[in-house]
Amino acid sequence: GDSVTQMEGPVTLSEEAFLTINCTYTATGYPSLFWYVQYPGEGLQLLLKATKADDKGSNKGFEATYRKETTSFHLEKGSVQVSDSAVYFCALIDGSSNTGKLIFGQGTTLQVKP
Amino acid sequence: DTAVSQTPKYLVTQMGNDKSIKCEQNLGHDTMYWYKQDSKKFLKIMFSYNNKELIINETVPNRFSPKSPDKAHLNLHINSLELGDSAVYFCASSQGLGGRSNQPQHFGDGTRLSIL
């Protein structure tokens, strides 16, 4: 079945450092890909998405490019802030899905220190 | 003006009890979901409803029974609570069921269920 794998956390960075969180997926169809962020004590918020190969999703300085050849959707940010500390989830929906089933990776905790 | 609201936010109860969690969305969406997040933060879908019709039922014990009285509400009732039910339960909603033109799912803030 479809699955998403993220790099193990926690990731600890200093403020203004460069961030990469790796995400790879396995899917039988052509999935849409998402990054969600969960701040402490809150629900998940959509950070960015890409629906087809080579699409780049971006929001709040974060970017991720849908790479079909490497089945990856790595999250990057050029300069992290303390306020970016959160848990980040990579997720997919099968492009042919008629159920809306989101499949999540295991989440990566990011801690940014001042 | 909360988009997806869940009640209660915290629920502490004894093993064997029956409890319910309520979810309401004011986004006009036609699809609602329940997810379970375990202590390691892993998220897994439990149920989804589209226009009050059950779409996904992911091998969840039949002690869990979702009920959708209308498109804006999806409640979760749990019978005979067990220690392993301790988790954070998230409600979400979206317009449509996914696919290439899917709309993102909007999540509530979660209900933290603790079984003593």
Side-chain angles (χ1 to χ4, degrees):
Chain A
D2 295 356
S3 65
V4 177
T5 303
Q6 294 178 229
M7 64 187 286
E8 293 268 343
V11 174
T12 302
L13 296 173
S14 297
E15 209 164 20
E16 298 183 5
F18 185 86
L19 169 71
T20 300
I21 300 178
N22 290 340
C23 170
T24 56
Y25 66 90
T26 303
T28 51
Y30 297 93
S32 293
L33 303 174
F34 306 84
W35 277 101
Y36 278 85
V37 58
Q38 184 180 25
Y39 298 102
E42 296 183 12
L44 279 73
Q45 300 174 28
L46 179 67
L47 184 58
L48 53 84
K49 70 173 184 177
T51 58
K52 61 182 188 298
D54 300 325
D55 267 1
K56 179 188 278 189
S58 60
N59 186 25
K60 299 181 181 178
F62 291 90
E63 291 183 341
T65 301
Y66 188 143
R67 301 280 188 208
K68 187 166 179 287
E69 64 277 13
T70 53
T71 62
S72 64
F73 192 54
H74 304 321
L75 183 69
E76 296 182 336
K77 186 175 186 185
S79 175
V80 293
Q81 305 300 313
V82 172
S83 57
D84 293 326
S85 298
V87 183
Y88 291 82
F89 292 92
C90 186
L92 68 81
I93 288 181
D94 187 332
S96 60
S97 167
N98 60 359
T99 67
K101 181 178 175 181
L102 258 178
I103 295 172
F104 286 93
Q106 67 269 41
T108 302
T109 298
L110 170 66
Q111 186 176 23
V112 180
K113 297 189 171 179
Chain B
D1 60 344
T2 304
V4 181
S5 60
Q6 298 178 225
T7 53
K9 193 171 173 69
Y10 300 96
L11 186 51
V12 181
T13 190
Q14 304 268 4
M15 214 163 45
N17 283 351
D18 304 338
K19 289 293 178 186
S20 292
I21 307 172
K22 295 187 176 182
C23 179
E24 176 181 5
Q25 55 94 2
N26 62 7
L27 296 166
H29 290 163
D30 60 5
T31 307
M32 297 184 72
Y33 311 80
W34 278 110
Y35 289 86
K36 180 179 180 181
Q37 186 176 46
D38 64 22
S39 58
K40 295 184 179 177
K41 300 284 188 186
F42 185 68
L43 271 159
K44 189 159 191 268
I45 192 162
M46 300 171 69
F47 301 103
S48 75
Y49 272 74
N50 174 256
N51 286 315
K52 303 196 306 175
E53 181 187 348
L54 180 65
I55 302 296
I56 297 175
N57 183 343
E58 281 283 305
T59 60
V60 176
N62 57 16
R63 298 182 295 104
F64 290 79
S65 52
K67 291 223 173 14
S68 181
D70 54 56
K71 288 196 302 184
H73 296 84
L74 180 61
N75 304 322
L76 183 65
H77 188 76
I78 316 170
N79 289 327
S80 304
L81 280 157
E82 300 177 358
L83 287 174
D85 298 333
S86 294
V88 182
Y89 292 84
F90 286 100
C91 179
S93 72
S94 68
Q95 183 58 31
L97 282 171
R100 184 85 31 217
S101 61
N102 68 81
Q103 296 297 312
Q105 294 179 19
H106 295 255
F107 285 76
D109 285 343
T111 296
R112 184 175 293 278
L113 174 62
S114 300
I115 309 301
L116 303 178

